[in-house]
Coordinates of all heavy atoms in Angstrom, one line a residue:
E356 N 28.4 -12.0 -19.6 CA 27.9 -12.9 -18.5 C 29.0 -13.1 -17.4 O 28.6 -13.3 -16.2 CB 27.6 -14.3 -19.1 CG 26.4 -14.3 -20.0 CD 26.2 -15.6 -20.8 OE1 27.1 -16.5 -20.7 OE2 25.1 -15.7 -21.4
N357 N 30.2 -13.0 -17.7 CA 31.3 -13.2 -16.7 C 32.1 -12.0 -16.4 O 33.1 -12.1 -15.7 CB 32.3 -14.3 -17.3 CG 31.6 -15.7 -17.4 OD1 31.5 -16.4 -16.4 ND2 31.2 -16.0 -18.6
D358 N 31.5 -10.8 -16.8 CA 32.1 -9.5 -16.4 C 33.6 -9.5 -16.7 O 34.4 -9.1 -15.8 CB 31.8 -9.2 -15.0 CG 32.0 -7.8 -14.6 OD1 32.0 -6.9 -15.5 OD2 32.3 -7.5 -13.4
I359 N 34.0 -9.9 -17.9 CA 35.4 -9.9 -18.3 C 35.9 -8.6 -18.8 O 35.2 -8.0 -19.8 CB 35.7 -11.0 -19.3 CG1 35.3 -12.4 -18.7 CG2 37.1 -11.0 -19.8 CD1 35.4 -13.5 -19.7
D360 N 36.9 -8.0 -18.3 CA 37.5 -6.8 -18.8 C 38.2 -7.1 -20.2 O 38.8 -8.1 -20.3 CB 38.5 -6.2 -17.8 CG 37.9 -5.8 -16.5 OD1 36.7 -5.6 -16.5 OD2 38.7 -5.6 -15.5
I361 N 38.1 -6.1 -21.0 CA 38.7 -6.2 -22.4 C 39.7 -5.1 -22.6 O 39.5 -4.0 -22.4 CB 37.6 -6.1 -23.5 CG1 36.5 -7.1 -23.2 CG2 38.3 -6.4 -24.8 CD1 36.9 -8.6 -23.2
Q362 N 40.9 -5.5 -23.0 CA 41.9 -4.6 -23.5 C 42.2 -4.8 -25.0 O 42.6 -5.9 -25.3 CB 43.2 -4.7 -22.7 CG 44.2 -3.6 -23.1 CD 45.5 -3.7 -22.3 OE1 46.6 -3.7 -22.9 NE2 45.4 -3.7 -21.0
V363 N 41.9 -3.8 -25.8 CA 42.0 -3.9 -27.2 C 43.2 -3.1 -27.7 O 43.4 -1.9 -27.2 CB 40.8 -3.5 -28.0 CG1 40.9 -3.7 -29.5 CG2 39.5 -4.2 -27.4
S364 N 44.0 -3.6 -28.6 CA 45.1 -2.8 -29.2 C 44.7 -2.1 -30.4 O 44.3 -2.7 -31.4 CB 46.3 -3.8 -29.6 OG 46.7 -4.5 -28.4
I365 N 44.6 -0.7 -30.2 CA 44.3 0.1 -31.4 C 45.2 1.3 -31.3 O 45.2 2.1 -30.3 CB 42.8 0.7 -31.3 CG1 41.8 -0.5 -31.2 CG2 42.5 1.5 -32.6 CD1 40.4 0.0 -31.0
D366 N 46.1 1.5 -32.3 CA 47.1 2.5 -32.3 C 46.5 3.9 -32.7 O 47.3 4.9 -32.7 CB 48.3 2.1 -33.1 CG 49.0 0.9 -32.5 OD1 48.8 0.7 -31.3 OD2 49.7 0.2 -33.2
G367 N 45.3 3.9 -33.2 CA 44.7 5.2 -33.6 C 43.8 5.0 -34.8 O 43.2 4.0 -35.0
A368 N 43.8 6.1 -35.7 CA 43.0 6.0 -36.9 C 43.6 5.0 -37.9 O 44.6 4.5 -37.6 CB 42.9 7.4 -37.5
N369 N 42.9 4.8 -39.0 CA 43.3 3.8 -39.9 C 44.7 3.8 -40.3 O 45.4 2.8 -40.1 CB 42.4 4.0 -41.2 CG 42.5 2.7 -42.1 OD1 43.5 2.0 -42.1 ND2 41.4 2.5 -42.8
E370 N 45.2 5.0 -40.7 CA 46.6 5.1 -41.1 C 47.6 4.9 -39.9 O 48.5 4.2 -40.0 CB 46.9 6.5 -41.7 CG 48.2 6.6 -42.5 CD 48.2 5.7 -43.8 OE1 47.1 5.3 -44.2 OE2 49.3 5.5 -44.3
G371 N 47.2 5.5 -38.8 CA 48.1 5.3 -37.6 C 48.1 3.9 -37.1 O 49.1 3.5 -36.5
H372 N 47.0 3.2 -37.2 CA 46.9 1.9 -36.7 C 47.6 0.9 -37.6 O 48.4 0.0 -37.1 CB 45.5 1.4 -36.5 CG 45.3 0.0 -36.0 ND1 45.6 -0.3 -34.7 CD2 44.9 -1.1 -36.6 CE1 45.3 -1.6 -34.5 NE2 45.0 -2.1 -35.7
R373 N 47.5 1.0 -38.9 CA 47.9 -0.1 -39.8 C 49.4 0.1 -40.2 O 50.0 -0.9 -40.7 CB 47.0 -0.1 -41.0 CG 45.6 -0.5 -40.6 CD 44.7 -0.6 -41.8 NE 45.1 -1.7 -42.7 CZ 44.5 -2.0 -43.9 NH1 43.6 -1.2 -44.3 NH2 44.9 -3.0 -44.6
K374 N 49.9 1.3 -40.2 CA 51.3 1.5 -40.7 C 52.3 0.6 -40.0 O 53.2 0.1 -40.6 CB 51.7 3.0 -40.5 CG 51.3 3.8 -41.7 CD 52.5 4.0 -42.6 CE 52.2 4.9 -43.7 NZ 53.4 5.2 -44.6
P375 N 52.3 0.5 -38.6 CA 53.3 -0.3 -37.9 C 53.2 -1.8 -38.1 O 54.0 -2.6 -37.6 CB 53.2 0.1 -36.5 CG 52.2 1.2 -36.4 CD 51.4 1.1 -37.6
S376 N 52.1 -2.3 -38.8 CA 51.9 -3.7 -38.8 C 51.5 -4.2 -40.2 O 51.1 -3.4 -41.1 CB 50.8 -4.1 -37.8 OG 49.6 -3.5 -38.3
T377 N 51.7 -5.5 -40.4 CA 51.3 -6.1 -41.7 C 50.2 -7.1 -41.3 O 50.2 -7.7 -40.3 CB 52.5 -6.8 -42.4 OG1 53.0 -7.7 -41.5 CG2 53.5 -5.7 -42.8
E378 N 49.3 -7.4 -42.2 CA 48.2 -8.3 -42.0 C 48.5 -9.6 -42.7 O 48.7 -9.7 -43.9 CB 46.9 -7.7 -42.4 CG 46.6 -6.4 -41.6 CD 45.3 -5.8 -42.2 OE1 44.8 -6.2 -43.2 OE2 44.8 -4.9 -41.5
K379 N 48.4 -10.7 -42.0 CA 48.5 -12.0 -42.6 C 47.2 -12.3 -43.4 O 47.2 -12.9 -44.4 CB 48.7 -13.1 -41.5 CG 50.1 -13.0 -40.8 CD 50.2 -14.1 -39.8 CE 51.5 -14.1 -39.1 NZ 51.6 -15.1 -38.0
N380 N 46.1 -11.8 -42.8 CA 44.8 -12.1 -43.4 C 44.3 -10.7 -43.9 O 44.0 -9.8 -43.1 CB 43.9 -12.6 -42.4 CG 42.5 -13.0 -43.0 OD1 42.2 -12.5 -44.1 ND2 41.7 -13.7 -42.3
K381 N 44.3 -10.5 -45.2 CA 44.0 -9.2 -45.8 C 42.5 -8.8 -45.5 O 42.1 -7.7 -45.7 CB 44.2 -9.2 -47.3 CG 45.7 -9.2 -47.6 CD 46.5 -8.1 -47.1 CE 47.9 -8.1 -47.4 NZ 48.7 -7.0 -46.9
T382 N 41.7 -9.8 -45.1 CA 40.3 -9.4 -44.8 C 40.2 -8.8 -43.4 O 39.1 -8.3 -43.0 CB 39.4 -10.7 -44.9 OG1 39.8 -11.6 -43.9 CG2 39.5 -11.3 -46.2
T383 N 41.2 -8.8 -42.6 CA 41.2 -8.2 -41.3 C 41.5 -6.7 -41.5 O 42.6 -6.3 -41.7 CB 42.3 -8.9 -40.4 OG1 42.1 -10.2 -40.3 CG2 42.3 -8.3 -39.0
K384 N 40.5 -5.9 -41.4 CA 40.5 -4.5 -41.7 C 40.5 -3.7 -40.4 O 39.9 -4.1 -39.4 CB 39.4 -4.1 -42.6 CG 39.3 -4.8 -43.9 CD 40.5 -4.5 -44.8 CE 40.3 -5.2 -46.2 NZ 41.4 -4.9 -47.1
H385 N 41.0 -2.5 -40.5 CA 41.0 -1.6 -39.3 C 39.5 -1.3 -39.0 O 39.1 -1.2 -37.8 CB 41.7 -0.3 -39.7 CG 41.6 0.8 -38.6 ND1 40.7 1.8 -38.6 CD2 42.4 0.9 -37.5 CE1 40.9 2.6 -37.6 NE2 41.9 2.1 -36.9
D386 N 38.6 -1.1 -40.0 CA 37.3 -0.7 -39.7 C 36.5 -1.9 -39.0 O 35.6 -1.7 -38.3 CB 36.5 -0.3 -41.0 CG 36.6 -1.3 -42.1 OD1 37.1 -2.4 -41.9 OD2 36.0 -1.0 -43.2
H387 N 37.0 -3.1 -39.3 CA 36.4 -4.3 -38.6 C 36.7 -4.2 -37.1 O 35.8 -4.5 -36.3 CB 36.9 -5.6 -39.2 CG 36.4 -6.8 -38.6 ND1 35.1 -7.2 -38.5 CD2 37.1 -7.8 -37.9 CE1 35.0 -8.3 -37.9 NE2 36.1 -8.7 -37.5
I388 N 38.0 -3.9 -36.8 CA 38.3 -3.8 -35.4 C 37.6 -2.7 -34.7 O 37.1 -2.8 -33.6 CB 39.9 -3.5 -35.2 CG1 40.7 -4.7 -35.8 CG2 40.3 -3.2 -33.8 CD1 42.1 -4.4 -36.0
I389 N 37.4 -1.5 -35.4 CA 36.7 -0.4 -34.9 C 35.2 -0.8 -34.6 O 34.6 -0.4 -33.6 CB 36.8 0.8 -35.8 CG1 38.3 1.3 -35.9 CG2 35.9 2.0 -35.3 CD1 38.9 1.5 -34.5
N390 N 34.6 -1.5 -35.6 CA 33.2 -1.9 -35.4 C 33.0 -2.8 -34.3 O 32.1 -2.7 -33.5 CB 32.7 -2.6 -36.7 CG 32.4 -1.6 -37.8 OD1 32.2 -0.4 -37.6 ND2 32.5 -2.1 -39.1
N391 N 34.0 -3.8 -34.1 CA 33.9 -4.7 -32.9 C 34.0 -3.9 -31.6 O 33.3 -4.2 -30.7 CB 35.1 -5.7 -33.0 CG 34.8 -6.8 -34.0 OD1 33.7 -7.0 -34.5 ND2 35.9 -7.5 -34.4
T392 N 34.9 -2.9 -31.6 CA 35.1 -2.1 -30.4 C 33.8 -1.2 -30.1 O 33.4 -1.1 -29.0 CB 36.3 -1.1 -30.6 OG1 37.5 -1.9 -30.9 CG2 36.6 -0.4 -29.3
R393 N 33.2 -0.7 -31.2 CA 32.0 0.0 -31.0 C 30.9 -0.8 -30.3 O 30.2 -0.4 -29.4 CB 31.5 0.6 -32.3 CG 32.2 1.8 -32.8 CD 31.4 2.5 -33.9 NE 32.1 3.8 -34.3 CZ 32.8 3.9 -35.4 NH1 32.9 2.8 -36.3 NH2 33.3 5.0 -35.8
N394 N 30.8 -2.1 -30.8 CA 29.8 -3.0 -30.2 C 30.1 -3.3 -28.8 O 29.2 -3.3 -28.0 CB 29.9 -4.3 -31.0 CG 29.3 -4.2 -32.4 OD1 28.5 -3.3 -32.7 ND2 29.7 -5.1 -33.3
L395 N 31.4 -3.4 -28.4 CA 31.8 -3.7 -27.0 C 31.5 -2.5 -26.2 O 31.0 -2.6 -25.0 CB 33.3 -4.0 -26.9 CG 33.7 -5.3 -27.5 CD1 35.3 -5.4 -27.6 CD2 33.2 -6.5 -26.6
L396 N 31.6 -1.3 -26.7 CA 31.3 0.0 -26.0 C 29.9 0.1 -25.6 O 29.5 0.9 -24.7 CB 31.8 1.2 -26.7 CG 33.3 1.4 -26.8 CD1 33.7 2.5 -27.8 CD2 33.9 1.7 -25.5
E397 N 29.0 -0.6 -26.4 CA 27.6 -0.5 -26.1 C 27.2 -1.4 -24.9 O 26.0 -1.4 -24.5 CB 26.8 -0.9 -27.3 CG 26.9 0.1 -28.5 CD 26.2 -0.3 -29.7 OE1 25.6 -1.4 -29.7 OE2 26.2 0.5 -30.7
T398 N 28.1 -2.2 -24.5 CA 27.9 -3.1 -23.3 C 28.3 -2.4 -22.0 O 28.8 -1.3 -22.1 CB 28.6 -4.4 -23.5 OG1 30.1 -4.2 -23.3 CG2 28.4 -5.1 -24.8
N399 N 28.2 -3.1 -20.9 CA 28.6 -2.5 -19.6 C 30.0 -3.0 -19.3 O 30.5 -2.9 -18.1 CB 27.7 -2.9 -18.5 CG 26.3 -2.1 -18.7 OD1 26.3 -1.0 -19.1 ND2 25.3 -2.8 -18.4
L400 N 30.7 -3.6 -20.2 CA 32.1 -4.2 -20.0 C 33.1 -3.0 -19.8 O 32.9 -1.9 -20.4 CB 32.5 -5.1 -21.1 CG 31.7 -6.4 -21.3 CD1 32.2 -7.1 -22.6 CD2 32.0 -7.3 -20.1
N401 N 34.1 -3.3 -19.0 CA 35.2 -2.4 -18.8 C 36.2 -2.5 -20.0 O 36.9 -3.5 -20.1 CB 35.9 -2.7 -17.5 CG 37.1 -1.7 -17.3 OD1 37.1 -0.6 -17.8 ND2 38.0 -2.1 -16.5
I402 N 36.2 -1.5 -20.9 CA 37.0 -1.6 -22.1 C 38.1 -0.6 -22.0 O 38.0 0.6 -21.7 CB 36.1 -1.2 -23.4 CG1 34.8 -2.0 -23.4 CG2 36.9 -1.4 -24.6 CD1 35.0 -3.5 -23.5
T403 N 39.3 -1.1 -22.2 CA 40.6 -0.3 -22.3 C 41.2 -0.5 -23.6 O 41.2 -1.6 -24.2 CB 41.6 -0.7 -21.2 OG1 40.9 -0.6 -19.9 CG2 42.8 0.1 -21.3
V404 N 41.7 0.6 -24.2 CA 42.5 0.6 -25.4 C 43.9 0.8 -25.2 O 44.3 1.7 -24.5 CB 41.9 1.6 -26.5 CG1 42.9 1.8 -27.6 CG2 40.6 1.1 -27.0
N405 N 44.8 -0.1 -25.7 CA 46.2 0.1 -25.6 C 46.7 0.7 -26.9 O 46.6 0.1 -27.9 CB 46.9 -1.3 -25.4 CG 48.4 -1.2 -25.1 OD1 48.7 -0.6 -24.1 ND2 49.2 -1.8 -25.9
M406 N 47.2 2.0 -26.8 CA 47.6 2.7 -27.9 C 49.2 2.8 -27.9 O 49.7 3.5 -27.0 CB 47.0 4.1 -27.9 CG 47.5 5.0 -29.0 SD 46.9 6.7 -28.9 CE 48.2 7.6 -29.7
V407 N 49.8 2.1 -28.8 CA 51.3 2.2 -29.0 C 51.7 3.3 -29.9 O 51.1 3.4 -31.0 CB 51.8 0.8 -29.5 CG1 53.3 0.9 -29.7 CG2 51.5 -0.3 -28.5
Y408 N 52.6 4.1 -29.5 CA 53.1 5.2 -30.3 C 54.6 5.0 -30.6 O 55.3 4.5 -29.7 CB 52.8 6.6 -29.8 CG 53.4 6.9 -28.4 CD1 54.7 7.4 -28.3 CD2 52.7 6.6 -27.2 CE1 55.2 7.7 -27.0 CE2 53.2 6.8 -26.0 CZ 54.5 7.4 -25.9 OH 55.0 7.6 -24.6
S409 N 55.0 5.4 -31.8 CA 56.4 5.1 -32.2 C 57.1 6.4 -32.6 O 56.4 7.4 -32.8 CB 56.5 4.1 -33.3 OG 55.8 4.7 -34.5
A410 N 58.4 6.4 -32.6 CA 59.2 7.6 -33.0 C 58.8 8.1 -34.4 O 58.8 9.3 -34.6 CB 60.7 7.2 -32.9
S411 N 58.6 7.2 -35.3 CA 58.3 7.6 -36.7 C 56.9 8.2 -36.8 O 56.7 8.9 -37.8 CB 58.5 6.4 -37.6 OG 57.5 5.4 -37.3
K412 N 56.1 8.0 -35.9 CA 54.7 8.5 -35.9 C 54.4 9.5 -34.8 O 53.3 9.7 -34.4 CB 53.7 7.4 -35.9 CG 53.8 6.4 -37.0 CD 53.4 7.0 -38.3 CE 51.9 7.2 -38.4 NZ 51.5 7.8 -39.7
V413 N 55.5 10.1 -34.2 CA 55.3 11.0 -33.1 C 54.4 12.1 -33.4 O 53.6 12.6 -32.5 CB 56.7 11.4 -32.5 CG1 57.3 12.4 -33.5 CG2 56.5 12.0 -31.1
D414 N 54.3 12.6 -34.6 CA 53.5 13.8 -35.0 C 52.0 13.4 -34.9 O 51.2 14.3 -34.8 CB 53.8 14.2 -36.4 CG 55.1 14.9 -36.5 OD1 55.5 15.6 -35.6 OD2 55.8 14.7 -37.5
D415 N 51.7 12.1 -34.9 CA 50.3 11.7 -34.9 C 49.7 11.3 -33.6 O 48.6 10.8 -33.5 CB 50.1 10.6 -35.9 CG 50.5 10.9 -37.3 OD1 50.4 12.1 -37.7 OD2 51.0 10.1 -38.1
I416 N 50.5 11.5 -32.5 CA 50.0 11.0 -31.2 C 48.7 11.6 -30.8 O 47.8 10.9 -30.5 CB 51.1 11.2 -30.1 CG1 52.3 10.4 -30.3 CG2 50.5 11.0 -28.7 CD1 53.5 10.7 -29.4
F417 N 48.6 12.9 -30.9 CA 47.4 13.5 -30.4 C 46.2 13.3 -31.4 O 45.1 13.0 -30.9 CB 47.5 15.1 -30.3 CG 46.3 15.7 -29.8 CD1 45.9 15.5 -28.4 CD2 45.5 16.6 -30.6 CE1 44.8 16.1 -27.9 CE2 44.4 17.2 -30.0 CZ 44.0 17.0 -28.7
S418 N 46.4 13.2 -32.7 CA 45.4 12.9 -33.6 C 44.8 11.5 -33.4 O 43.6 11.2 -33.5 CB 45.8 13.1 -35.1 OG 46.8 12.3 -35.4
N419 N 45.8 10.5 -33.2 CA 45.3 9.2 -32.9 C 44.6 9.1 -31.6 O 43.6 8.3 -31.4 CB 46.5 8.2 -32.9 CG 47.0 7.9 -34.3 OD1 46.2 7.9 -35.3 ND2 48.3 7.8 -34.5
F420 N 45.1 9.8 -30.6 CA 44.4 9.8 -29.3 C 43.0 10.4 -29.4 O 42.1 9.9 -28.9 CB 45.3 10.7 -28.3 CG 44.6 11.0 -27.0 CD1 44.5 10.1 -26.0 CD2 44.0 12.3 -26.9 CE1 43.9 10.4 -24.8 CE2 43.4 12.6 -25.7 CZ 43.4 11.7 -24.6
S421 N 42.9 11.5 -30.2 CA 41.6 12.1 -30.4 C 40.6 11.2 -31.1 O 39.4 11.2 -30.8 CB 41.8 13.4 -31.2 OG 42.6 14.3 -30.5
F422 N 41.2 10.4 -32.0 CA 40.3 9.4 -32.7 C 39.7 8.5 -31.7 O 38.5 8.1 -31.8 CB 41.2 8.7 -33.8 CG 40.5 7.5 -34.4 CD1 39.6 7.7 -35.4 CD2 40.7 6.2 -33.9 CE1 38.9 6.6 -36.0 CE2 40.0 5.1 -34.5 CZ 39.1 5.3 -35.5
L423 N 40.5 8.0 -30.8 CA 40.0 7.0 -29.8 C 39.0 7.7 -28.9 O 38.0 7.1 -28.5 CB 41.2 6.5 -29.0 CG 42.2 5.6 -29.8 CD1 43.3 5.2 -28.9 CD2 41.5 4.4 -30.4
I424 N 39.2 8.9 -28.5 CA 38.3 9.7 -27.6 C 37.0 9.9 -28.3 O 35.9 9.7 -27.7 CB 38.9 11.0 -27.2 CG1 40.1 10.8 -26.3 CG2 37.9 11.9 -26.5 CD1 39.9 10.2 -25.0
N425 N 37.0 10.2 -29.6 CA 35.8 10.4 -30.4 C 35.1 9.1 -30.6 O 33.8 9.1 -30.8 CB 36.2 11.1 -31.7 CG 36.6 12.5 -31.5 OD1 36.3 13.2 -30.6 ND2 37.5 13.0 -32.5
L426 N 35.8 8.0 -30.5 CA 35.2 6.7 -30.7 C 34.3 6.4 -29.4 O 33.4 5.6 -29.5 CB 36.2 5.7 -30.9 CG 35.8 4.2 -31.2 CD1 35.0 4.2 -32.5 CD2 37.0 3.3 -31.3

Side-chain angles (χ1 to χ4, degrees):
E356 291 172 352
N357 292 279
D358 195 24
I359 299 176
D360 295 342
I361 309 296
Q362 184 179 127
V363 185
S364 298
I365 307 176
D366 297 339
N369 195 329
E370 194 67 16
H372 179 74
R373 296 181 68 186
K374 271 264 184 174
S376 65
T377 56
E378 295 176 352
K379 291 179 180 177
N380 183 347
K381 291 300 181 182
T382 63
T383 302
K384 304 292 186 181
H385 177 263
D386 57 1
H387 178 61
I388 298 171
I389 298 306
N390 286 336
N391 283 345
T392 305
R393 283 198 177 101
N394 291 335
L395 289 170
L396 288 170
E397 293 176 0
T398 71
N399 291 322
L400 293 172
N401 180 26
I402 310 299
T403 299
V404 164
N405 190 58
M406 174 184 152
V407 176
Y408 58 92
S409 62
S411 62
K412 300 291 291 182
V413 71
D414 289 322
D415 297 331
I416 290 175
F417 184 68
S418 63
N419 284 326
F420 169 80
S421 298
F422 171 83
L423 296 176
I424 294 296
N425 292 332
L426 186 63

